């Protein structure tokens, strides 16, 4: 549960970040990290369209540079975009200046006011500066679709167990997750719709 739904103390580390939306509204916020890539993004977009769902894609700048047509498709289909650094940087592996420069380099391609740090960690110096320029969006539910130890059924079970009003649900737009998403994503969307959840994006 520590991974799927982060503890309160973890949320307190970044108090200005958004971890969950309005708990009084029957809505969830679908997010997809790490794309866009041709191996996964088209299927995700096709599935979202089938279920009438909008999502937010936290994209890696280098992937946007390589696949601008996928970026354009995401935007043209009415989805939201967010910054996930240019090179998917780890939060504690780089100097503050290096990380910030890398993030702004990504935003020259992504053009977003939203930011999500890869792996969900930031140095507090980076958090301080980026929170002045971006809305930092974390998560309320990580499906763990990237894990080699989980099956598609396990991913679906995580959605069913932890989704709640205002949940920011994180899937991954990646080669590690796509085999599970072929099954887990449509079944998750179907279940969420049956539970009465609306799919929203951020302001």
């Amino acid at each position: 549960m520590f991974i799927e739904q982060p503890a309160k103390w973890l949320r307190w580390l970044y108090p200005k970040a958004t971890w969950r939306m309005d708990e009084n509204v029957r809505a969830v916020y679908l997010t997809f990290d790490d794309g866009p890539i041709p191996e996964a993004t088209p299927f995700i977009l096709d599935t979202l369209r089938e279920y009438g769902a909008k999502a937010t894609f936290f994209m890696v700048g280098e992937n946007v540079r390589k696949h601008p047509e996928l970026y354009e498709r995401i935007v043209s289909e009415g989805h939201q975009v967010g910054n996930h650094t240019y090179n998917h940087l780890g939060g504690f592996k780089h100097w503050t200046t290096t990380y910030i420069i890398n993030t702004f380099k990504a935003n020259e391609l992504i053009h977003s006011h939203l930011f999500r740090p890869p792996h969900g960690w930031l140095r507090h110096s980076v958090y301080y500066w980026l929170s002045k320029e971006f809305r930092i969006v974390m998560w309320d539910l990580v499906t763990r679709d990237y894990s080699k130890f989980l099956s598609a059924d396990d991913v679906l079970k995580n959605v069913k167990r932890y989704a709640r009003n205002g949940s920011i649900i994180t899937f991954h737009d990646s080669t590690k997750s796509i085999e599970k998403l072929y099954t887990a994503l449509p079944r998750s969307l179907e279940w969420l719709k049956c539970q009465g959840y609306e799919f929203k994006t951020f302001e």
Side-chain angles (χ1 to χ4, degrees):
M1 181 175 177
F2 173 78
I3 297 176
E4 291 87 350
Q5 203 162 64
K8 287 183 179 180
W9 68 263
L10 181 58
R11 300 171 192 242
W12 291 336
L13 286 178
Y14 308 110
K16 292 183 180 179
T18 301
W19 292 89
R20 183 185 179 189
M21 300 298 282
D22 193 339
E23 63 185 48
N24 297 308
V25 176
R26 193 70 169 168
V28 294
Y29 294 71
L30 303 173
T31 66
F32 293 86
D33 288 3
D34 302 347
I37 57 170
E39 297 87 348
T41 311
F43 169 79
I44 292 170
L45 290 171
D46 289 345
T47 305
L48 291 171
R49 182 170 54 192
E50 179 182 349
Y51 287 88
K54 300 301 181 187
T56 302
F57 288 77
F58 286 95
M59 296 187 285
V60 174
E62 188 173 30
N63 287 339
V64 174
R65 180 185 61 79
K66 291 177 181 177
H67 310 292
E69 73 286 354
L70 292 178
Y71 171 89
E72 294 298 337
R73 182 181 169 189
I74 288 167
V75 173
S76 68
E77 294 189 10
H79 300 290
Q80 194 170 40
V81 297
N83 188 326
H84 204 46
T85 74
Y86 190 85
N87 298 109
H88 201 262
L89 297 188
F92 297 115
K93 295 181 180 179
H94 303 274
W95 294 106
T96 297
T97 302
T98 301
Y99 195 103
I100 291 172
I101 290 172
N102 193 274
T103 300
F104 279 93
K105 180 181 179 180
N107 222 44
E108 292 175 3
L109 297 169
I110 299 168
H111 310 294
S112 178
H113 68 291
L114 305 175
F115 176 76
R116 172 178 284 168
H119 314 296
W121 295 100
L122 283 171
R123 292 181 185 271
H124 267 268
S125 55
V126 174
Y127 166 69
Y128 172 80
W129 288 108
L130 290 186
S131 63
K132 292 177 176 292
E133 300 291 334
F134 297 92
R135 179 176 187 173
I136 298 176
V137 179
M138 296 298 202
W139 67 90
D140 183 59
L141 193 172
V142 175
T143 63
R144 296 186 66 201
D145 51 355
Y146 56 83
S147 175
K148 64 182 179 180
F149 301 109
L150 269 62
S151 67
D153 283 342
D154 293 326
V155 172
L156 177 62
K157 287 176 183 176
N158 281 338
V159 172
K160 290 182 175 181
R161 181 175 182 182
Y162 296 109
R164 55 185 180 174
N165 288 0
S167 280
I168 300 170
I169 303 176
T170 299
F171 293 95
H172 288 79
D173 184 3
S174 71
T175 55
K176 290 182 179 180
S177 64
I178 188 59
E179 290 299 324
K180 280 165 276 197
L181 289 186
Y182 285 139
T183 300
L185 182 58
R187 290 176 64 188
S188 294
L189 295 178
E190 183 175 354
W191 182 83
L192 289 164
K193 288 190 74 171
C194 287
Q195 299 302 306
Y197 287 107
E198 181 182 356
F199 301 113
K200 290 190 172 185
T201 55
F202 305 95
E203 295 181 357

